[in-house]
Amino acid sequence: MSSSQESVFPEYETDTSQTSKLLRKFKETPFVPIGMAGFAMVVGYGLYRLKHRGDMKMSLHLIHMRVAAQGFVVGAITCGVLYSMFREYVVKPKE
């Protein structure tokens, strides 16, 4: 083993600020922040509706909120996978 510390991924270590890393990651996978924002919106709406749930049981309300949040995230991941497959196999020029 060599004693020198060579970087395995030098292109990832050139950006040192957290915001530039975050922006680069959002450009690479644009549906991840969409899924995170949708999850936060569903949880926020569920917490708002918690006060006005009427005679619905708390456990049933929480189950509905969990299913809605998971559905949004799974949908965003699916769209991201389809988008990356489209970019990889359709838009990418043939070599």
Side-chain angles (χ1 to χ4, degrees):
M1 297 189 103
S2 68
S3 62
S4 66
Q5 294 291 332
E6 292 183 18
S7 175
V8 178
F9 301 108
E11 66 272 2
Y12 286 105
E13 294 177 0
T14 57
D15 297 331
T16 56
S17 71
Q18 292 294 329
T19 55
S20 63
K21 288 180 183 179
L22 189 63
L23 289 174
R24 187 190 72 239
K25 195 65 170 171
F26 285 170
K27 287 179 184 176
E28 290 175 0
T29 55
F31 286 95
V32 171
I34 293 171
M36 291 168 52
F39 175 78
M41 288 183 344
V42 167
V43 168
Y45 179 73
L47 290 175
Y48 171 74
R49 292 293 301 164
L50 183 65
K51 189 175 184 179
H52 307 289
R53 71 181 186 273
D55 60 347
M56 184 185 292
K57 288 185 176 181
M58 171 72 89
S59 62
L60 187 61
H61 175 75
L62 292 176
I63 288 171
H64 288 172
M65 189 172 71
R66 178 185 64 89
V67 168
Q70 282 180 333
F72 195 93
V73 171
V74 168
I77 289 172
T78 303
C79 289
V81 167
L82 292 174
Y83 174 72
S84 67
M85 287 174 62
F86 175 76
R87 221 175 45 187
E88 180 78 23
Y89 297 112
V90 176
V91 178
K92 185 177 178 181
K94 304 288 183 193
E95 292 182 12

